[in-house]
Amino acid sequence: MAVSEDIDAAATAAHGLISGAATLDALKAAEPEILGKKSALGQFKRALGGLEPDERRVVGQHLNAVRETVSEALDDRRAELAAGERRAQFEEERMDLTEVPTDPGLGHLHLVTQTVQRLEDVFVGMGFTVSEGPEVETDWYNFEALNLPKWHPARSMWDTLYLNLDQGDNVLLRTHTSPVQVRVMQEQAPPIYTICPGKVFRRDTADASHLPAFHQIEGLVVDEGITFGDLAGTLDEFTSAYFGGAIKSRLRPSFFPFTEPSAEFDINCVICEGSGCQTCQRTGWIELGGCGMVHPNVLSNVGIDPERYTGFAFGFGIDRLALMRHGIDDLRDMFTNDVRFLTQF
Amino acid sequence: MKVLLSWLREFAPIEGDPTELGEAMSMLGMAVESMEVFGSLDGVIVAEVMATRPHPNADRIQLVDVDTGDGVALQICCGAFNMAVGDRVPLATIGTTMPNGMEIAKRRMRGEESNGMLCSADELGLGNDHDGIYILPAEVELGAQLTEQLGLGGDVLYDLEINPNRPDAMSVAGVARDLAAHLGVPFMMPQWSVGESGEPVEDVASVTIHDPQLCGRFVARVLRDVVVGESPAWMQLRLSLCGMRPINSVVDVSNYVMLELGTPNHTYDLAKVPNGHLGVRRASESEELVTLDDGMRTLTGADGVIVDDTDSAIGIAGVMGGASTEISDITTEVLLELAWWWPRPIAETSTRLNLRSEASTRFERGTDWALNVNAVNRFCDLMAAQGATVAPGHIDVWGEVPSRAVVELRTSRVNHLLGTDMSRDHVASLLEPIGFDTEPVENDVLVTVVPSFRPDTTTETDIIEEVARHYGYATIAKTVPRSPDAGHLSAYQQERRDLRASLAGAGFNEIIPMPFLAPDALARTGLSIDDPVTLANPLAAEEGVLRPSLLPGVMGVVAYNESHRNLGVRLFEIGHIFMPPRGDEILPDETEWLAIAIAGAQADAAKRAWDLVAGRLGLRGVTVENRDDVAGMHPTRAAALLADSTKVGMMGEVDPGVLAAWGISQRVAYVEVQLDAILSMPHGDRAYRLVSTHPSSDIDLAFVTPDAVPASAVESTLRATAGERLMSLRLFDVFRGAQLGADSRSIAFTLRLQAADHTLTEDEIGAIRQNCIDAVEARHGAMLRA
């Protein structure tokens, strides 16, 4: 049958065009010649109308089958070319992710700030607010209100830096953040649950464990019915939250003019967890800070009735916590502000 | 305060494991700082030097022949040269294991035999003296075991940290009392007595107290036939182990009694005290005196002095004796002073003279006025054992002494403060063993009489602390109180945290420089501040100024980093600065500031950093104003930050001259702003503006504008003119070129316009555009760039 043979020949030519197109663009350009109205196969479709019905049916079926095959071949080829071109594009975009220089571009908060924020978060979780105050203070706020009259021998516990302000020794750099506690008690009626982190000052020569300016956090609770047991329990709860559940605290009798009973606040050595090592001199304990029940004279000095209200206070160094956590030997390293130090944490 | 266990045991039958006893003392508030257990030192015996000879083959060692009791010379090679023939010395015999673990064997040193080792005190673990061989007191028995002769085997030395409120624990007896109470064993204070002979004391000596508020009690005795020589070996050893250098038989006894009973005392050469008379008065202004340490001391009317019969000062009361009546080698008659001084004048004098002695430390904490007579008798007892005779009787003159405090102690208050549930009798049982007399008067109340050795204890709370100590801090049940309010940061604290996080996220590292500056730092930084706040007593001149700006500290950090090859650092600091007090204020004007520095960057980097801050905090109303006169900053690349018309900060580039003065070779972009000021202005918490679902339109406008007109002025005009349809405004290009003229530049903005309720029409957009052009051209002498 001549027509069928002609159709087959046209189909062969169309398949040739399909496989001959090397790119999607070429294939698209060839599409009218393959299946378009003016293509050979398109021409046959138009010519069907001139055939006898029987022949038309037979030729028509054959033509449709052939066109379907060509159409499938066209789709397959298109998909094949598209995939190849995508692959080529990807290949062109290939990137070695291990050759990218490391630069997170992030800055770092100072270790002291990081430590303060961790401490604040623990105490905020325990219901405390955070109080701040001036770093320069009067003698009254730093000493006298805290039950340390001018001649008191215990003043020698703090080597104080004084300022030249034509006021004698009245104005000084606070030696602890306790004056903030005094200010809070003056401004706020109990119940008081607050912590006071901040910069404090001592007349110390710089060495591996001393600087004239360093950081401290103190806490104050004043309410009805606050007991020494509350102090011990609060410090225990803080210790577990901050250092981890395995670390416990203990209190030892001590002396501070502004608290009574007073105590040293020890925690299990964070290195050996209490079994004894070099860091804790084999005692299993590290001295962290001081604490005690707020002295009645201190409460009276700020107008709080010590018979109605009782309270406790505690304080410890912040810088040393940072040194301990990161194994830093020399306090001074933390304050030279060398970016090679700052960016490690 | 160092104490020996054997010494404590002279006051109470204290038994137990040395470590556990140390733990007990720590938990009583006498923290053990160090503990040393002495071994028996088996094999170390007393030998006597018979002869010393040079070593034939060595210069640094010599040959020493010693007698170990049998009269036979035993040759030892020895590297020390401090011994003389007849000296008794410790010999570690063959087979001895030294405290450091070394075993002594028979050896040859450069060809000469050595049959043991002569030891220093340090090598035996008996003190720090390692300068030479330990020369023993003459009376130790030849050939005997050393520790037996010294009474030391198995002894324990504790170094205790004694708190200022525990004057009682500044003595062996006081520590023993506290520990005995804890252990539940009896404490016993001996009552010493001594045989007397010769002329009675009142015939040779007298005492007058002229100031009863200075001296509360003055007890004196006279000793005769005193031979100033060496004190007994056991006493020398105890003194040196407890940190006091043995001096002579009189001074050693004086120190021994002070350590044992906590009663400082003073000895005078009676022959040098005219008529044996001592008086106590305040010094006259500028009165002078040479003290025992040969220092000339100038006194004031507040200081106490001891005077002789001619009213000449011969000692500073309670602090240090005078040189003129000092005991010497030829002293035979001693006048002994055991006084009780009021603490406060002693504290003031020793502080003012910067003269702290073992005596003043004890007196200023408060000694026991009830113990004076027993203590002088202890002194005489120890001197009599060395052959001195004691004149009959003692002088006992009184000034004023504090009465023993009588305090009503409420059991309920004890339990209220401690969180315990003790009975009244339980409380009493804790106080009685440490010397507090208690008498129950009601169900709740104990009338408590404080012992004279606890002058620190005057109030109910003071006594509650004693109850707590002996109840045991660790025994008190732990409880956790709960605040009725939620814990939180203040808004300021939260925003400061957010700002820190944003700055770190943008690549800035936080620094914390010391807040002190060297005196020239301000001038170097181009800051001229009248009367910066300075320190009265800095330890170093470089720390003499309290910073009135964060800039010098930041410059120091940039310079430090540059000198360590850290270039291009991006830093920030949040800290306080200090200006002189305003008006009648007492305290300096102290404010909290933020500083940002970018090394290796120009002024525009400062502006971008400021935009980050302003955007993060949602600041409204802080404007940037170019200024040529910002101190420390580049004259043509700086701006002031203004809130209303108040300057709250600055930014731009640091003045190249300042950078040079700090040795910085990079440009540095810098922002400084008063954080507490900008956060007290309206900021943040912006009201929601509906996100329109209608399309927005952008119009670009470029104006040729004179250089004198800041871009911010054009921007303000555009914002004001475009009004509520303006969604955003962005300066996207600045262009300078010859065609625009020398003193002008083109600045180009994109305005995004949008309405909440409809799509803007071409006409609406065109009207806004024209209004903007007209306004900028009219107000700023600008021209729309075609």
Side-chain angles (χ1 to χ4, degrees):
Chain A
M1 252 228 248
V3 181
S4 288
E5 279 164 18
D6 289 347
I7 290 173
D8 287 345
T12 305
H15 281 294
L17 284 172
I18 288 170
S19 56
T23 66
L24 276 178
D25 286 348
L27 187 63
K28 190 162 185 150
E31 263 179 58
E33 250 184 285
I34 297 167
L35 276 176
K37 282 181 187 160
K38 290 181 182 163
S39 68
L41 290 172
Q43 301 282 359
F44 284 120
K45 201 174 176 182
R46 204 183 299 168
L48 278 182
L51 294 182
E52 288 302 311
D54 285 354
E55 194 182 5
R56 190 167 65 205
R57 202 182 66 248
V58 174
V59 172
Q61 281 174 351
H62 181 59
L63 181 62
N64 283 344
V66 165
R67 281 180 64 97
E68 200 153 307
T69 315
V70 169
S71 177
E72 275 171 20
L74 182 64
D75 288 347
D76 289 351
R77 180 63 176 160
R78 193 184 293 116
E80 182 189 352
L81 286 172
E85 287 185 18
R86 213 162 39 240
R87 252 197 323 278
Q89 180 71 25
F90 287 155
E91 208 46 58
E92 201 164 302
E93 292 178 2
R94 182 173 289 283
M95 193 179 267
D96 175 3
L97 295 180
T98 66
E99 78 181 9
V100 181
T102 304
D103 173 21
L106 273 176
H108 300 254
L109 295 186
H110 196 277
L111 262 192
V112 168
T113 301
Q114 294 184 26
T115 310
V116 169
Q117 292 187 352
R118 278 192 203 110
L119 292 167
E120 286 174 346
D121 290 347
V122 170
F123 283 109
V124 164
M126 292 167 67
F128 286 65
T129 59
V130 179
S131 302
E132 295 170 43
E135 293 169 6
V136 173
E137 273 291 5
T138 61
D139 185 271
W140 191 85
Y141 280 102
N142 196 73
F143 288 128
E144 282 205 46
L146 296 163
N147 201 28
L148 272 155
K150 281 222 158 49
W151 63 273
H152 202 294
R155 280 202 180 195
S156 63
M157 291 162 78
W158 297 272
D159 280 327
T160 309
L161 286 164
Y162 292 94
L163 300 184
N164 289 318
L165 286 170
D166 300 328
Q167 310 229 18
D169 281 349
N170 188 35
V171 183
L172 45 81
L173 284 161
R174 66 179 181 195
T175 58
H176 38 207
T177 56
S178 310
V180 181
Q181 297 187 29
V182 176
R183 288 176 183 275
V184 169
M185 288 188 284
Q186 279 183 327
E187 286 160 18
Q188 183 189 333
I192 295 168
Y193 290 74
T194 196
I195 52 165
C196 319
K199 203 170 268 169
V200 297
F201 306 83
R202 300 276 166 88
R203 191 166 182 267
D204 269 334
T205 306
D207 64 26
S209 52
H210 296 87
L211 280 175
F214 55 103
H215 301 84
Q216 204 185 50
I217 185 166
E218 296 185 11
L220 173 72
V221 169
V222 181
D223 204 345
E224 287 178 353
I226 295 294
T227 68
F228 192 88
D230 289 337
L231 166 61
T234 299
L235 289 178
D236 224 26
E237 188 172 78
F238 158 74
T239 302
S240 296
Y242 185 84
F243 295 100
I247 305 295
K248 296 285 173 222
S249 69
R250 72 167 184 189
L251 302 183
R252 268 187 299 116
S254 187
F255 170 75
F256 304 103
F258 29 77
T259 51
E260 193 164 41
S262 297
E264 294 289 342
F265 162 27
D266 294 345
I267 58 164
N268 282 139
C269 177
V270 293
I271 309 292
C272 64
E273 297 193 346
S275 57
C277 68
Q278 198 92 36
T279 304
C280 58
Q281 295 170 324
R282 268 163 266 290
T283 61
W285 295 97
I286 304 177
E287 195 175 310
L288 200 70
C291 60
M293 301 301 292
V294 180
H295 198 286
N297 290 357
V298 175
L299 294 175
S300 300
N301 284 341
V302 293
I304 293 176
D305 176 5
E307 279 293 313
R308 178 170 172 202
Y309 294 104
T310 51
F312 64 76
F314 57 86
F316 51 89
I318 291 170
D319 309 283
R320 191 160 144 257
L321 291 184
L323 300 188
M324 268 163 43
R325 183 181 278 257
H326 297 283
I328 301 162
D329 294 328
D330 194 324
L331 177 63
R332 290 167 294 191
D333 291 346
M334 205 153 61
F335 297 97
T336 51
N337 299 298
D338 188 318
V339 291
R340 292 167 300 179
F341 179 94
L342 300 174
T343 54
Q344 286 183 41
F345 309 103
Chain B
M1 171 84 195
K2 291 182 174 176
V3 294
L4 276 165
L5 182 55
S6 61
W7 205 345
L8 294 173
R9 284 183 174 143
E10 290 176 15
F11 293 88
I14 292 164
E15 298 297 334
D17 172 67
T19 307
E20 282 172 16
L21 290 175
E23 184 68 9
M25 287 190 277
S26 288
M27 294 308 284
L28 284 168
M30 304 178 291
V32 175
E33 294 192 315
S34 68
M35 181 182 116
E36 199 175 339
V37 181
F38 299 110
S40 59
L41 292 176
D42 279 338
V44 181
I45 61 169
V46 177
E48 184 174 301
V49 178
M50 300 171 75
T52 61
R53 288 171 285 127
H55 189 294
N57 305 317
D59 293 337
R60 298 215 181 141
I61 48 178
Q62 64 171 337
L63 301 177
V64 183
D65 290 332
V66 297
D67 175 8
T68 57
D70 55 9
V72 179
L74 192 65
Q75 178 176 297
I76 312 289
C77 296
C78 182
F81 293 81
N82 65 317
M83 73 290 279
V85 173
D87 281 349
R88 299 219 160 159
V89 290
L91 171 69
T93 54
I94 309 296
T96 303
T97 303
M98 300 296 288
N100 68 0
M102 182 175 76
E103 193 165 323
I104 303 298
K106 189 169 195 165
R107 298 206 292 154
R108 277 185 175 278
M109 295 172 82
R110 295 239 170 169
E112 290 289 336
E113 200 164 81
S114 187
N115 297 290
M117 187 177 87
L118 303 182
C119 310
S120 68
D122 182 45
E123 285 164 334
L124 295 169
L126 300 178
N128 301 323
D129 192 350
H130 52 83
D131 288 345
I133 299 306
Y134 184 10
I135 308 295
L136 299 167
E139 80 268 14
V140 293
E141 193 185 318
L142 195 55
Q145 291 285 329
L146 179 72
T147 47
E148 182 187 296
Q149 286 295 299
L150 299 178
L152 201 65
D155 210 347
V156 187
L157 181 68
Y158 296 100
D159 190 357
L160 305 178
E161 185 187 345
I162 303 300
N163 291 312
N165 66 329
R166 292 294 309 281
D168 63 304
M170 292 294 285
S171 68
V172 174
V175 172
R177 182 191 294 111
D178 216 29
L179 185 56
H182 175 79
L183 297 172
V185 297
F187 166 80
M188 211 274 295
M189 174 68 85
Q191 297 299 313
W192 285 282
S193 60
V194 64
E196 301 171 342
S197 61
E199 216 178 338
V201 66
E202 56 265 29
D203 292 354
V204 293
S206 57
V207 172
T208 311
I209 297 174
H210 297 289
D211 188 336
Q213 276 102 40
L214 172 65
C215 183
R217 191 178 186 187
F218 198 119
V219 172
R221 288 201 81 150
V222 166
L223 293 136
R224 301 197 183 90
D225 304 318
V226 171
V227 178
V228 179
E230 271 195 44
S231 59
W234 62 266
M235 183 181 290
Q236 289 192 35
L237 183 70
R238 278 191 171 175
L239 289 174
S240 49
L241 288 175
C242 293
M244 303 209 76
R245 196 162 50 91
I247 310 268
N248 63 43
S249 50
V250 178
V251 175
D252 290 358
V253 167
S254 171
N255 285 333
Y256 190 87
V257 171
M258 176 181 69
L259 293 181
E260 181 171 72
L261 301 176
T263 48
N265 52 82
H266 188 66
T267 50
Y268 302 83
D269 185 336
L270 184 59
K272 297 177 187 167
V273 181
N275 301 321
H277 179 75
L278 299 176
V280 177
R281 63 163 168 81
R282 300 277 174 161
S284 50
E285 224 36 71
S286 306
E287 191 166 1
E288 288 183 333
L289 164 73
V290 178
T291 44
L292 277 175
D293 56 358
D294 293 327
M296 171 66 82
R297 308 289 171 177
T298 307
L299 306 175
T300 72
D303 301 320
V305 286
I306 318 290
V307 294
D308 65 13
D309 210 23
T310 66
D311 202 36
S312 304
I314 57 170
I316 304 175
V319 177
M320 195 176 275
S324 67
T325 55
E326 189 178 357
I327 303 290
S328 73
D329 292 349
I330 56 164
T331 301
T332 58
E333 290 192 327
V334 168
L335 175 57
L336 169 62
E337 161 198 324
L338 214 145
W340 186 90
W341 305 101
W342 282 92
R344 189 165 161 175
I346 305 301
E348 286 173 344
T349 297
S350 74
T351 302
R352 202 179 52 71
L353 294 175
N354 196 18
L355 194 59
R356 302 203 101 79
S357 61
E358 292 281 343
S360 70
T361 304
R362 285 173 174 77
F363 283 130
E364 69 182 42
R365 294 175 181 208
T367 57
D368 181 6
W369 51 261
L371 199 55
N372 287 30
V373 173
N374 201 25
V376 283
N377 289 342
R378 174 57 163 159
F379 190 110
C380 293
D381 162 60
L382 289 167
M383 287 301 293
Q386 297 185 49
T389 56
V390 183
H394 62 265
I395 293 167
D396 189 358
V397 182
W398 291 75
E400 288 172 16
V401 293
S403 52
R404 292 176 60 185
V406 179
V407 180
E408 288 202 355
L409 177 65
R410 293 165 291 170
T411 309
S412 56
R413 181 72 181 173
V414 172
N415 290 325
H416 182 72
L417 201 61
L418 300 182
T420 50
D421 189 22
M422 280 181 263
S423 68
R424 186 195 64 196
D425 294 347
H426 187 185
V427 171
S429 74
L430 295 172
L431 289 170
E432 292 280 352
I434 52 170
F436 290 73
D437 297 329
T438 63
E439 188 177 343
V441 293
E442 295 166 30
N443 280 342
D444 191 37
V445 177
L446 287 167
V447 172
T448 307
V449 186
V450 176
S452 54
F453 50 82
R454 295 303 304 271
D456 56 286
T457 305
T458 56
T459 67
E460 186 180 39
T461 314
D462 293 339
I463 297 174
I464 292 174
E465 179 170 72
E466 295 305 302
V467 173
R469 281 200 312 117
H470 282 276
Y471 181 80
Y473 278 17
T475 317
I476 295 172
K478 294 174 177 179
T479 46
V480 183
R482 282 292 166 225
S483 167
D485 305 312
H488 61 279
L489 298 180
S490 69
Y492 182 86
Q493 291 160 347
Q494 188 60 56
E495 284 181 305
R496 190 175 51 191
R497 263 201 193 193
D498 294 346
L499 182 59
R500 278 195 161 104
S502 295
L503 288 167
F508 295 98
N509 290 307
E510 188 184 16
I511 58 170
I512 303 186
M514 287 288 119
F516 311 111
L517 303 177
D520 68 335
L522 294 177
R524 249 203 293 170
T525 316
L527 305 174
S528 60
I529 287 158
D530 295 336
D531 292 331
V533 180
T534 56
L535 273 64
N537 59 339
L539 269 177
E542 298 74 51
E543 298 168 355
V545 178
L546 205 50
R547 61 184 179 186
S549 159
L550 297 183
L551 181 56
V554 172
M555 287 294 97
V557 173
V558 172
Y560 177 91
N561 275 290
E562 184 176 303
S563 70
H564 290 77
R565 305 189 63 203
N566 303 324
L567 301 176
V569 294
R570 294 162 66 82
L571 309 171
F572 80 96
E573 181 189 3
I574 294 176
H576 290 200
I577 69 162
F578 307 87
M579 297 298 273
R582 290 163 180 268
D584 295 337
E585 294 290 322
I586 293 169
L587 293 179
D589 183 20
E590 183 176 337
T591 47
E592 185 158 78
W593 286 64
L594 162 70
I596 302 173
I598 308 151
Q602 303 193 26
D604 55 325
K607 171 62 166 49
R608 278 190 287 276
W610 166 248
D611 287 342
L612 173 78
V613 172
R616 184 68 192 82
L617 299 176
L619 291 179
R620 301 186 283 274
V622 178
T623 55
V624 177
E625 186 176 294
N626 293 324
R627 289 269 182 92
D628 291 359
D629 59 350
V630 182
M633 302 300 278
H634 190 301
T636 57
R637 290 185 167 195
L641 297 170
L642 302 174
D644 298 323
S645 53
T646 308
K647 188 177 163 206
V648 292
M650 64 187 198
M651 67 156 155
E653 240 171 270
V654 177
D655 187 328
V658 170
L659 294 174
W662 281 94
I664 297 168
S665 64
Q666 314 161 80
R667 286 178 182 265
V668 176
Y670 184 74
V671 180
E672 187 180 276
V673 66
Q674 188 182 338
L675 198 57
D676 49 25
I678 57 174
L679 285 180
S680 66
M681 300 165 40
H683 68 278
D685 282 341
R686 283 157 284 204
Y688 172 59
R689 188 171 173 182
L690 188 76
V691 176
S692 174
T693 52
H694 299 276
S696 60
S697 304
D698 288 353
I699 53 173
D700 289 353
L701 294 173
F703 295 97
V704 177
T705 318
D707 281 342
V709 176
S712 60
V714 178
E715 187 180 313
S716 308
T717 301
L718 289 172
R719 280 188 192 284
T721 310
E724 58 165 353
R725 301 285 188 235
L726 183 68
M727 285 297 118
S728 66
L729 175 72
R730 192 168 66 86
L731 191 164
F732 71 90
D733 186 43
V734 178
F735 172 74
R736 285 187 165 78
Q739 67 271 40
L740 301 179
D743 299 326
S744 294
R745 84 289 199 199
S746 159
I747 42 183
F749 299 88
T750 295
L751 292 76
R752 174 160 292 183
L753 305 174
Q754 196 174 30
D757 52 356
H758 67 286
T759 302
L760 291 175
T761 64
E762 287 297 323
D763 286 350
E764 284 177 297
I765 295 167
I768 291 171
R769 183 173 184 279
Q770 195 56 51
N771 287 344
C772 284
I773 293 166
D774 293 348
V776 170
E777 286 186 344
R779 277 185 219 167
H780 303 299
M783 277 230 322
L784 184 71
R785 191 165 169 229

